[in-house]
């Protein structure tokens, strides 16, 4: 539903320019953001780093993230998820996730996690 929204027009266009595995990963990242937003109202998740603590595993249309992170209100939290995408790479067909604890700030630099995106984020 999120990608179907008129506000997501740019995201839809950008997804269309990506290769299969990268497109699937980005589609699953968007699904993760939406699921976190729905499960934790007021959390305002804005970025997913599926590789933050451990590399993600991509097998065809299946993505397994065991050491991911998501950013919310300039803080990072652990997340795991399993995502399946249809063969055309346009729709998430299955998604399961678990949110973990906050990631201590002293680990952020080591894992390339930033609190903000720059001047536009302030």
């Amino acid at each position: 539903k999120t990608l179907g929204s008129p506000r997501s027009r740019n995201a839809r266009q950008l997804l269309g320019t990506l290769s299969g595995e990268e497109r699937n990963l980005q589609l699953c990242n968007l699904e993760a953001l939406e699921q976190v937003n729905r499960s934790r109202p007021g959390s305002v998740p804005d970025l997913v780093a599926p590789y933050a603590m451990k590399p993600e595993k991509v097998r065809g249309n299946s993505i397994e993230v065991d050491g991911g992170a998501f950013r919310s209100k300039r803080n990072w939290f652990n997340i795991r998820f399993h995502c399946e995408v249809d063969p055309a790479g346009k729709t998430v067909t299955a998604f399961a996730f678990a949110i973990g604890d906050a990631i201590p700030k002293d680990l952020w630099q080591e894992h390339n996690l930033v609190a903000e995106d720059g001047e536009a984020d302030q």
Side-chain angles (χ1 to χ4, degrees):
K1 290 182 181 180
T2 300
L3 281 176
S5 164
R7 295 182 332 191
S8 298
R9 180 176 167 224
N10 288 341
R12 283 192 308 274
Q13 289 175 339
L14 288 173
L15 282 171
T17 66
L18 300 174
S19 69
E21 285 187 358
E22 183 61 27
R23 181 183 58 243
N24 289 352
L25 181 59
Q26 294 305 321
L27 188 58
C28 290
N29 287 345
L30 288 170
E31 182 70 22
L33 289 173
E34 182 64 22
Q35 293 291 336
V36 169
N37 188 47
R38 289 179 183 201
S39 70
R40 289 190 171 181
S43 63
V44 194
D46 65 345
L47 188 61
V48 173
Y51 48 79
M53 308 309 233
K54 186 176 173 182
E56 72 277 4
K57 295 176 187 169
V58 179
R59 291 186 185 99
N61 293 337
S62 176
I63 296 176
E64 195 72 39
V65 171
D66 287 323
F70 72 91
R71 184 175 68 183
S72 175
K73 297 182 179 177
R74 298 184 181 175
N75 288 295
W76 286 94
F77 300 86
N78 288 297
I79 189 169
R80 295 178 330 169
F81 62 84
H82 174 82
C83 180
E84 301 274 340
V85 177
D86 74 311
K90 295 186 178 195
T91 305
V92 172
T93 58
F95 192 85
F97 72 107
I99 296 171
D101 295 330
I103 299 171
K105 287 186 180 185
D106 61 343
L107 296 178
W108 290 8
Q109 185 173 1
E110 176 183 346
H111 296 281
N112 297 313
L113 303 173
V114 296
E116 54 192 54
D117 293 330
E119 292 180 28
D121 190 48
Q122 297 177 5

